Amino acid sequence: LRAEAFGGAGLPQAAGGGSATGGNILVSSRDEKVIEITGVISASSNATGGGGYAGAMTGTGGWVTVETATAGFLTVDGSAGLTAQGFGGLGQGAQTGGLGTGGTATMRAAGGLLSVEGDVFLNTNGNGGLQLDNAMAGDGQGGTAQVLIGASGEIDLQSSLELLAFGTGGSGGSG
């Protein structure tokens, strides 16, 4: 499942790039319904800001949620990977690299059972845009990666769990 966004590049020297925000993905089992996934579930809502000479733009991750509620039942026989990363655009000339902000990745059992046999990986990193010339690189801000259990929920993870929400600044050029 993909709900990704890409900001356009500012091609003439007086143009800036476009901002991008990832979309929303929801996989939800509710009201005593059953979802059985044989294999892997992979959902990404990443965004990459466009680069330019008149301003590199932001890339902001969207949100991805896999959940059960009100006695729902969701099983995954393989692994689960949810990403909502943000990547800042490339700064060119005297323009700073764009801001990259992570979004939100959630695995939640508000009611019912959510079970994953394989590895679970949630990534909401924010990565600042690069700067190839004489200005600063962009900032990176991590998002929110979370596993939540409500009063009548149960989560059964049978392998490893890894949550990432790093903020990493971009690399600068020769300035």
Side-chain angles (χ1 to χ4, degrees):
L1 307 170
R2 295 177 71 158
E4 299 187 344
F6 301 92
L11 297 179
Q13 284 204 310
S19 292
T21 300
N24 302 320
I25 297 173
L26 173 63
V27 178
S28 180
S29 176
R30 298 170 175 258
D31 303 323
E32 301 179 5
K33 302 299 187 258
V34 175
I35 297 175
E36 294 179 345
I37 298 171
T38 303
V40 173
I41 183 169
S42 176
S44 63
S45 178
N46 301 328
T48 302
Y53 287 92
M57 299 309 261
T58 61
T60 303
W63 64 263
V64 179
T65 300
V66 173
E67 69 172 10
T68 61
T70 57
F73 184 76
L74 191 150
T75 63
V76 180
D77 289 345
S79 61
L82 312 178
T83 64
Q85 297 182 82
F87 300 91
L90 171 68
Q92 298 178 11
Q95 293 301 313
T96 300
L99 171 66
T101 302
T104 301
T106 302
M107 185 167 283
R108 173 177 50 225
L113 173 65
L114 194 157
S115 176
V116 181
E117 288 185 22
D119 297 333
V120 174
F121 179 72
L122 281 64
N123 184 342
T124 62
N125 291 343
N127 301 284
L130 303 175
Q131 210 308 325
L132 300 179
D133 298 309
N134 295 318
M136 292 177 49
D139 293 333
Q141 179 177 337
T144 302
Q146 56 191 358
V147 176
L148 304 170
I149 302 172
S152 62
E154 179 181 348
I155 294 179
D156 179 21
L157 303 179
Q158 299 173 25
S159 191
S160 68
L161 170 65
E162 184 173 9
L163 307 177
L164 301 176
F166 291 112
T168 304
S171 297
S174 61

